[in-house]
Amino acid sequence: GTAALMMTTAACGSSDGSGDKNAKVTLSYAIWDKNQVPAMQQLASAFTKENPNITIDVQLTPWETYWTKLKAAATGGAAPDVFWMNGPNFQLYATNGVLAPVGDYDTANYPKSLVDLYTVDGKHYGVPKDFDTVGLWYNKSLFDAAGVKYPDATWTWDTFKAAAAKLTDKAKGQFAIAANLTSAQEYQYNTIYQAGGYVISPDGKSSGYADPATIQGLKFWTDLIAAHQSPDLKTMTDTAPINLFESGKTAMYYGGSWDAAEFTTNSYTRSKVDVAVLPKGVKQATIIHGIANVIGAKSTHKDQAWKFVQYLGSKDAAEVEAKAGVIPAFNGTQQAWVQAH
């Protein structure tokens, strides 16, 4: 079971203690990605320019220690004023009184699945910041050599399987794809939903792994291993699937949008790799995840924090984020990310 966060009544320090909305305050803003620090500082400065009484202290804690530090701070009643939250950890914090519900915002500006991800019992606890999704990356050189047409929106599982057979060359030690079942977000979850299966039932009470459709979604990958069109588990354990793809050992890769920065800078993949939508099974489906900006329930500056979170969720902020390498959650601003890559 998940350990509950024990809350104390201690509040985090207040710079004014008066509750005066116009007093000068400093908000702590906790994030985990060093690559986004310049963009977050740019947004913090732009916000302070519009709101001179509110200064933002951008606090970077690397991913490896972010959640340990946050849990300790929250347990002591001293979570940051504003911080990044992800889907897997959200329920723990939202249901243990660590997050303040956010104010009303126009949910139509963001993908519904992201809004829903940060909603509990009809209350919104975060404003979507960015998102990632999964695509079929492919090596054009290996496709050309095998005489296989590049993937496109017409691809189905059958198209994929036919291509996989042609892209496997045992003599060269070349495989169609690394069937990386350990990566749920990039591999098994996508094919489970494409097969018409599910991971957890809508009511949250049962697993979908006994469902025949879910099993078909998993079989998509195990069949590739059985046909030797994927490296075996030992090979994938010794060499990460992304490295197999980046060295031309595999022709395709189910990878997240975050790989765009990697593949456009890697000297091997830069000129050889492109991306298409995932092939269609019984239906078209892809897993989406994204982070949200949330407010600490114990913050003594909730009005100012909400003002900042609204700004972070704005179209202007989204355009800054797009250039920084993440897909912004604000609808209609994603093209800037595409152009950046």
Side-chain angles (χ1 to χ4, degrees), residues 26-322:
T26 297
L27 297 178
S28 52
Y29 181 34
I31 70 171
W32 63 66
D33 182 2
K34 71 178 189 315
N35 295 324
Q36 292 187 55
V37 170
M40 295 306 104
Q41 287 181 329
Q42 184 183 337
L43 292 175
S45 300
F47 175 77
T48 299
K49 197 172 179 183
E50 288 179 20
N51 303 273
N53 290 333
I54 311 172
T55 304
I56 308 298
D57 177 20
V58 177
Q59 299 176 347
L60 172 70
T61 302
W63 171 262
E64 290 73 24
T65 52
Y66 181 89
W67 298 106
T68 312
K69 184 177 175 183
L70 182 61
K71 193 178 281 190
T75 303
D81 294 302
V82 179
F83 51 103
W84 284 2
M85 179 52 60
N86 73 354
N89 287 283
F90 169 67
Q91 293 281 342
L92 174 66
Y93 287 86
T95 58
N96 279 284
V98 180
L99 309 182
V102 295
D104 288 330
Y105 70 96
D106 188 354
T107 57
N109 284 331
Y110 313 92
K112 182 180 182 298
S113 51
L114 286 189
V115 173
D116 291 348
L117 186 60
Y118 295 101
T119 303
V120 177
D121 297 331
K123 284 185 184 169
H124 301 305
Y125 286 91
V127 175
K129 172 191 175 294
D130 59 52
F131 72 88
D132 45 62
T133 184
V134 181
L136 177 62
W137 300 86
Y138 59 95
N139 184 320
K140 293 181 287 187
S141 297
L142 299 185
F143 269 69
D144 291 345
V148 178
K149 283 187 177 174
Y150 298 160
D152 60 25
T154 68
W155 268 40
T156 63
W157 280 15
D158 288 339
T159 325
F160 177 93
K161 288 170 185 175
K166 291 179 185 170
L167 291 162
T168 301
D169 188 331
K170 199 174 178 185
K172 290 182 185 169
Q174 178 187 308
F175 298 91
I177 193 166
N180 182 18
L181 278 166
T182 59
S183 175
Q185 185 182 354
E186 292 175 286
Y187 286 76
Q188 54 169 306
Y189 287 175
N190 293 286
T191 51
I192 284 171
Y193 284 97
Q194 287 160 14
Y198 63 98
V199 176
I200 299 171
S201 61
D203 64 9
K205 291 179 181 172
S206 63
S207 161
Y209 280 82
D211 183 88
T214 300
I215 292 166
Q216 284 303 309
L218 296 172
K219 208 167 169 295
F220 178 92
W221 298 110
T222 56
D223 283 353
L224 287 163
I225 297 172
H228 303 291
Q229 292 167 359
S230 163
D232 57 22
L233 184 61
K234 184 184 185 308
T235 304
M236 290 188 282
T237 305
D238 292 344
T239 309
I242 193 166
N243 299 135
L244 291 169
F245 183 66
E246 289 181 324
S247 58
K249 296 293 182 192
T250 55
M252 295 181 283
Y253 183 77
Y254 266 47
S257 47
W258 58 85
D259 287 320
E262 168 78 12
F263 293 152
T264 50
T265 52
N266 178 284
S267 58
Y268 177 83
T269 55
R270 190 165 53 224
S271 60
K272 293 183 176 67
V273 164
D274 209 337
V275 67
V277 295
L278 296 179
K280 182 182 177 182
V282 173
K283 61 183 182 180
Q284 194 102 43
T286 182
I287 294 298
I288 182 174
H289 177 251
I291 67 177
N293 286 299
V294 297
I295 298 169
K298 301 282 181 184
S299 170
T300 50
H301 310 305
K302 286 196 192 70
D303 291 329
Q304 293 94 332
W306 172 230
K307 207 168 189 181
F308 181 49
V309 167
Q310 283 178 288
Y311 174 74
L312 291 171
S314 68
K315 187 178 181 183
D316 286 351
E319 284 165 353
V320 171
E321 296 220 25

